[in-house]
């Protein structure tokens, strides 16, 4: 994992933007490691693995992944910034395609992206060929708390990532796992980290789903796609 002080020095020396905007990016994205990344680095060897970062944004996670890693993002500014730091970033709309080599990555990291897409299952389908034979999908997403009181308490605190004006989709663990499986994967693990002070599992609105491409699940997904296309015709 790269030292954050070194990353900030690199940003200030190479940023394609002016000083004020550069400092704003540092304050917003590089003041500390993202909590989601800190947790993931303690569970998976992302700092030494080739990771495909789908929706890499400013590279605040991509900068800490291992050799051979690559990011894709739909923002020209994000891609330009990442490239200035020496990161491999490609401009792409994740709703359309993933311009990355097949069989090249140990992990596909999809973090806070799936809720914003028009066709999230298709993104997961397109990601599977990018993995090495033993590679894994790591999906980090926001959950809809199952308890109405939990949703109310979160809204009072200004935490509303599961509302319609923030995301196209609301997922529970069950619906997210169903989508992953229908995209051709088998679930390896599910982790819902508990924040200090949480009384109910349902209050925590974040989850990691680890999954592997699976031949049987892929066959089911392919058959369903063919059947649905035939029915639509």
């Amino acid at each position: 994992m790269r030292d954050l002080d070194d990353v900030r020095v690199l940003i200030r020396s190479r940023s394609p933007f002016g000083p004020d905007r550069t400092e704003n990016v540092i304050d917003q994205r590089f003041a500390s490691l993202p909590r989601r990344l800190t947790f993931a680095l303690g569970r998976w060897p992302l700092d030494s693995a080739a990771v495909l970062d789908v929706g890499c944004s400013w590279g605040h996670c991509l900068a800490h992944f291992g050799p051979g890693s690559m990011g894709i993002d739909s923002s020209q500014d994000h891609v330009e910034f990442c490239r200035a730091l020496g990161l491999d970033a490609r401009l792409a709309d994740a709703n359309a395609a993933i311009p990355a080599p097949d069989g090249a990555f140990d992990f596909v990291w999809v973090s806070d992206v799936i809720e914003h897409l028009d066709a999230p299952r298709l993104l997961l389908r397109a990601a599977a060929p990018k993995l090495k034979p033993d590679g894994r999908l790591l999906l980090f997403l926001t959950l809809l708390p199952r308890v109405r009181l939990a949703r109310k308490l979160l809204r009072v605190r200004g935490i509303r990532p599961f509302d319609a004006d923030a995301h196209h989709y609301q997922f529970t663990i069950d619906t997210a796992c169903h989508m992953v499986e229908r995209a051709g994967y088998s679930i390896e693990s599910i982790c819902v980290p508990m924040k200090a002070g949480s009384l109910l599992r349902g209050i925590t609105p974040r989850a990691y789903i680890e999954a592997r491409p699976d031949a049987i699940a892929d066959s089911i997904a392919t058959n369903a796609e063919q059947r649905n296309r035939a029915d639509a015709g």
Side-chain angles (χ1 to χ4, degrees):
M1 183 173 62
R2 301 173 73 170
D3 183 84
L4 266 180
D5 288 335
D6 292 340
V7 173
R8 287 189 285 264
V9 169
L10 182 67
I11 291 172
R12 291 187 175 103
S13 66
R14 294 190 180 182
S15 172
F17 309 128
D20 290 345
R21 189 177 185 191
T22 296
E23 290 303 319
N24 181 258
V25 172
I26 290 174
D27 290 344
Q28 294 295 319
R29 298 299 186 180
F30 294 92
S32 61
L33 285 177
R35 282 184 300 217
R36 75 195 66 172
L37 178 63
T38 301
F39 181 90
L41 288 170
R43 190 177 178 95
W44 298 282
L46 302 177
D47 55 344
S48 60
V51 181
L52 177 60
D53 187 345
V54 178
C56 62
S57 186
W58 299 102
H60 45 287
C61 291
L62 180 60
H64 301 284
F65 295 150
S69 293
M70 176 190 299
I72 65 168
D73 200 275
S74 60
S75 166
Q76 181 66 54
D77 282 356
H78 291 167
V79 171
E80 183 180 353
F81 183 85
C82 289
R83 287 177 175 173
L85 303 188
L87 302 173
D88 186 357
R90 313 285 176 89
L91 185 66
D93 180 357
N95 280 297
I98 300 180
D102 289 348
F105 301 97
D106 302 297
F107 294 93
V108 171
W109 172 257
V110 183
S111 171
D112 263 350
V113 170
I114 212 77
E115 307 93 322
H116 300 274
L117 299 179
D118 293 324
R121 191 188 69 87
L122 296 184
L123 179 277
L124 299 183
R125 291 284 278 158
K130 310 304 174 184
L131 288 165
K132 296 178 181 178
D134 59 347
R136 282 164 284 172
L137 168 73
L138 291 181
L139 179 64
F140 177 80
L141 74 165
T142 300
L143 300 176
L144 175 68
R146 296 178 179 178
V147 182
R148 288 182 179 272
L149 177 59
R151 298 200 291 270
K152 183 176 180 179
L153 291 173
L154 288 169
R155 288 189 177 103
V156 168
R157 295 177 58 196
I159 303 172
R160 303 169 56 249
F162 41 81
D163 281 350
D165 59 343
H167 293 151
H168 290 327
Y169 292 94
Q170 294 177 334
F171 291 101
T172 65
I173 282 293
D174 291 340
T175 61
C177 287
H178 178 80
M179 178 185 64
V180 171
E181 290 170 343
R182 293 291 76 78
Y185 297 82
S186 61
I187 306 295
E188 291 281 305
S189 68
I190 301 167
C191 183
V192 182
M194 292 291 290
K195 294 181 180 178
S198 292
L199 298 177
L200 299 171
R201 186 180 182 87
I203 289 179
T204 304
R206 305 283 185 162
Y208 299 82
I209 298 177
E210 177 187 12
R212 294 181 185 272
D214 180 85
I216 295 176
D218 178 74
S219 177
I220 292 171
T222 299
N223 289 338
E225 289 165 352
Q226 292 172 347
R227 183 174 62 253
N228 289 335
R229 281 196 293 268
D231 291 343

